[in-house]
Amino acid sequence: MKIIAADVIVTSPDRNFVTLRITTDEGLTGLGDGTLNGRELSVASYLADHVVPLLIGRDPHRIEDTWQFLYRSAYWRRGPVTMAAIAAVDVALWDIKAKAAGMPLYQLLGGASRNGIMAYGHASGRDLPELFDSIRRHLEMGYRSIRVQTSVPGLNAVYGVASQPSTGGKRYDYEPAQRTALPAEEDWDTRAYLRHLPGVFEAVRNEFGPELPLLHDGHHRMTPIEAARLGKALEPYDLFWLEDCTPAENQEALRLVRRHTTTPLAIGEVFNTVWDYQTLIREQLIDYVRSAVTHTGGITAMRKLLDFAAQYQIKSGIHGPTDISPVGMAAALHLDLAIHNFGIQEYMQHGPATNEVFRQSFTFTDGYLHPGELPGLGVELDEQAAARFPYQPAYLPFNRLKDGTVHDW
Ligand code: CS2
Ligand code: MG
């Protein structure tokens, strides 16, 4: 079998997506997600201008060889753009191989290790009544694990709160990237946040009881000692995890956090390779790997990363916001079902226009996701529908502290 075409499809139903479609001379097609929020066109160009010419004529079955070729022959390695581009190719090739084998991808990855994939949803609120309503709504939608994000008194806009002015107040789910010419500026104050958050979790536990798995995303905003303080202050509320508590480029920073708290830690959605995790995993400094298949070199690389983590009893917590397309989500679900060290899967639901462009066979029932039984990934792209939604520039917001200093968003 030979690759005869590779098309980069950029569409913007509810938000921008970059999809690679590889076609073989035997009429098989495979899809891969290369969406990098707020920088979508850089991956589209990397694919169209630099990678696609290298794929034509190749044997699509040689996935590992193609991965190594794209990673090493580029000379310039790692990084979000490169690894998203490699991920798009890798996942498309796994889609083709599973279709050629006539089985859903998870079967090719070793078969199911569980009956379903526990998912968590995003509840948020500007105040407690709004937050409680949002949690109830997610429980009604079938979620059995809930991420809690809340506004902070004195701050105008905070990550993760769906119904705040910057999101037009209407959304029940939080979409961070705004279709604006320039990134929106938001404000931040860690001391105000640290004073406010423990009380919110106390109230949520009082209202919803001790069993409901609760997660929170610190979104890279604290110093290591601030993160240690928050982790400790949240211990009474038994969180499933505290995510991205401090920027982790300096992996050793987590040693300080670990020294002070037993709140489980999840990190990795902005990572792109196993190298970003070496110290974190080897020293048991995290409990969940948060990478997305789309941003970490695809299924080939994610399996190796999760196998490494398994040696340290560290579990998966794959990144699944709406800026991971249905193709990227399906790839994550096949992996989630097959691996042993599965922890939990993030699941923000896509909008109706996106579901029109990407026909999906994965299901969400009573809190559990399943990738479905169709051969391959189980997602097809409607190119005519995609063409109706041309790319629109969009940016993620950024933060400034009260004194004007740029801060992690
Ligand atoms: C977030 C993301 O879902 C999460 O855990 O951290 O929503 C993140 O903000 C976006 O993916 C950025 O594009
Ligand atoms: Mg996050």
Side-chain angles (χ1 to χ4, degrees):
M1 197 185 323
K2 291 228 170 319
I3 295 174
I4 55 169
D7 306 297
V8 180
I9 299 151
V10 179
T11 180
S12 194
D14 300 295
R15 49 148 301 111
N16 297 324
F17 295 114
V18 174
T19 306
L20 178 71
R21 183 185 56 212
I22 294 178
T23 306
T24 76
D25 57 357
E26 294 180 11
L28 289 177
T29 60
L31 296 179
D33 178 25
T35 305
L36 191 62
N37 207 3
R39 297 291 183 275
E40 293 89 353
L41 297 183
S42 61
V43 182
S45 161
Y46 192 106
L47 285 166
D49 301 330
H50 302 296
V51 170
V52 165
L54 307 178
L55 297 176
I56 307 306
R58 289 186 71 86
D59 174 353
H61 278 303
R62 299 181 63 178
I63 302 178
E64 179 71 33
D65 180 66
T66 300
W67 196 99
Q68 297 297 342
F69 170 65
L70 293 176
Y71 185 73
R72 296 174 194 281
S73 72
Y75 191 65
W76 311 108
R77 301 175 180 192
R78 302 171 69 177
V81 176
T82 300
M83 301 317 289
I86 293 177
V89 175
D90 185 78
V91 170
L93 295 181
W94 278 106
D95 192 11
I96 287 170
K97 190 181 274 291
K99 283 178 178 170
M103 60 176 77
L105 179 51
Y106 76 84
Q107 290 291 14
L108 209 54
L109 297 173
S113 292
R114 53 199 55 78
N115 308 322
I117 296 159
M118 169 59 83
Y120 73 88
H122 289 193
S124 65
R126 287 167 293 183
D127 54 33
L128 287 180
E130 195 173 84
L131 174 61
F132 291 176
D133 285 351
S134 177
I135 294 173
R136 286 192 195 96
R137 208 172 23 248
H138 281 79
L139 294 172
E140 282 154 20
M141 288 161 68
Y143 286 98
R144 295 292 168 264
S145 301
I146 305 281
R147 187 189 82 166
V148 168
Q149 303 293 136
T150 174
S151 291
V152 175
L155 297 182
N156 300 321
V158 172
Y159 165 74
V161 181
S163 58
Q164 60 190 340
S166 64
T167 64
K170 289 191 290 306
R171 287 189 59 93
Y172 78 86
D173 222 337
Y174 175 75
E175 173 57 62
Q178 304 301 311
R179 289 173 166 164
T180 48
L182 292 172
E185 180 177 325
E186 297 186 349
D187 53 352
W188 182 250
D189 176 347
T190 305
R191 290 173 54 75
Y193 166 73
L194 291 179
R195 280 194 301 274
H196 181 63
L197 199 71
V200 170
F201 274 91
E202 182 182 15
V204 171
R205 278 291 177 225
N206 290 342
E207 182 74 15
F208 294 93
E211 286 163 19
L212 181 63
L214 297 176
L215 303 85
H216 179 71
D217 195 341
H219 225 255
H220 327 270
R221 292 165 184 225
M222 290 167 274
T223 63
I225 197 64
E226 290 165 343
R229 280 181 54 202
L230 181 63
K232 205 171 179 61
L234 293 177
E235 282 173 10
Y237 313 116
D238 183 27
L239 266 64
F240 184 94
W241 79 32
L242 172 60
E243 177 186 342
D244 286 328
C245 58
T246 190
E249 289 98 324
N250 165 22
Q251 299 179 44
E252 294 161 9
L254 274 298
R255 290 180 185 150
L256 181 63
V257 183
R258 213 42 156 183
R259 216 175 298 146
H260 291 283
T261 180
T262 57
T263 292
L265 302 176
I267 282 183
E269 71 179 48
V270 295
F271 289 172
N272 320 109
T273 70
V274 63
W275 314 109
D276 301 320
Y277 285 95
Q278 277 200 309
T279 304
L280 293 174
I281 290 178
R282 248 203 334 256
E283 296 185 19
Q284 235 55 77
L285 299 176
I286 60 171
D287 306 287
Y288 296 92
V289 165
R290 275 289 283 150
S291 273
V293 173
T294 298
H295 298 145
T296 316
I299 292 216
T300 300
M302 273 291 277
R303 248 198 339 180
K304 295 174 185 174
L305 166 59
L306 290 169
D307 285 347
F308 173 40
Q311 311 312 318
Y312 296 83
Q313 301 173 54
I314 294 170
K315 296 182 174 179
S316 71
I318 297 182
H319 191 214
T322 40
D323 49 286
I324 297 291
S325 87
V327 175
M329 176 57 76
L333 299 183
H334 284 281
L335 200 53
D336 282 333
L337 200 64
I339 59 173
H340 180 255
N341 56 329
F342 169 77
I344 199 165
Q345 172 66 50
E346 178 178 16
Y347 180 44
M348 254 180 97
Q349 301 191 21
H350 290 103
T354 299
N355 297 336
E356 195 192 325
V357 171
F358 297 95
R359 290 193 301 281
Q360 305 141 46
S361 64
F362 59 75
T363 56
F364 178 55
T365 319
D366 198 19
Y368 291 87
L369 288 157
H370 191 284
E373 300 300 340
L374 291 182
L377 280 173
V379 178
E380 293 306 333
L381 183 143
D382 179 330
E383 199 162 0
Q384 272 152 354
R388 291 208 315 275
F389 304 101
Y391 169 79
Q392 297 189 46
Y395 282 100
L396 287 166
F398 75 104
N399 265 340
R400 282 193 187 278
L401 303 177
K402 284 210 164 47
D403 68 2
T405 309
V406 169
H407 190 70
D408 300 288
W409 175 76

